[in-house]
Amino acid sequence: MMENAQSSSPVATPARRQARQPQDLQPLFVERVNDRDLEGLVELYETGAVLHYPAGHIARGLEEIRLVLREFLAAAPRMTAAPVSAVLTGDLALTSGLWTMEIPGPDGRPIHASGKTAEVARRQADGTWRMIIDEPDFTATS
């Protein structure tokens, strides 16, 4: 007698979209922040990347960046952004953009913030782009 057995294989999840152009990094970052996708955010950085966040703190490498981004996502931010520019030379790009964000305040009212980004990205062997230096608000004081 044959019994019905359910497959024990894991459910396939669709692969995350990758940055095919350096200008893709900021929209992907915003999308993943709004989706609370920590691992998707970390995937946007190279192994030895640096992130200057919060102001005055440099996170070095993926583990430190993951810790900073985990704390950032815990505040439940909602972001929007408008890419501004990308300047390329070979496998390097300097990108910049504008962002706005709302974070729920302690009283339930949203706290509004905005800033200007600057990132250095590098083309990977597979043709995608990842950040190597991320300055999410170069107008903030350190």
Side-chain angles (χ1 to χ4, degrees), residues 22-84:
Q23 302 92 318
D24 296 340
L25 287 164
Q26 186 174 4
L28 287 171
F29 187 92
V30 169
E31 176 183 298
R32 292 171 187 185
V33 164
N34 292 338
D35 289 345
R36 309 290 181 262
D37 182 358
L38 176 61
E39 292 310 312
L41 284 168
V42 174
E43 284 180 5
L44 298 175
Y45 295 87
E46 273 195 10
T47 302
V50 295
L51 166 62
H52 181 213
Y53 183 83
H57 176 264
I58 303 288
R60 299 181 187 281
L62 296 181
E63 288 310 309
E64 287 185 23
I65 289 171
R66 181 178 284 107
L67 292 173
V68 167
L69 293 175
R70 179 179 291 129
E71 188 172 325
F72 172 67
L73 290 178
R78 295 294 301 166
M79 291 187 80
T80 61
V84 174

Side-chain angles (χ1 to χ4, degrees), residues 78-101:
R78 295 294 301 166
M79 291 187 80
T80 61
V84 174
S85 69
V87 179
L88 284 78
T89 181
D91 290 337
L92 294 176
L94 173 65
T95 60
S96 63
L98 304 171
W99 57 266
T100 60
M101 180 171 48

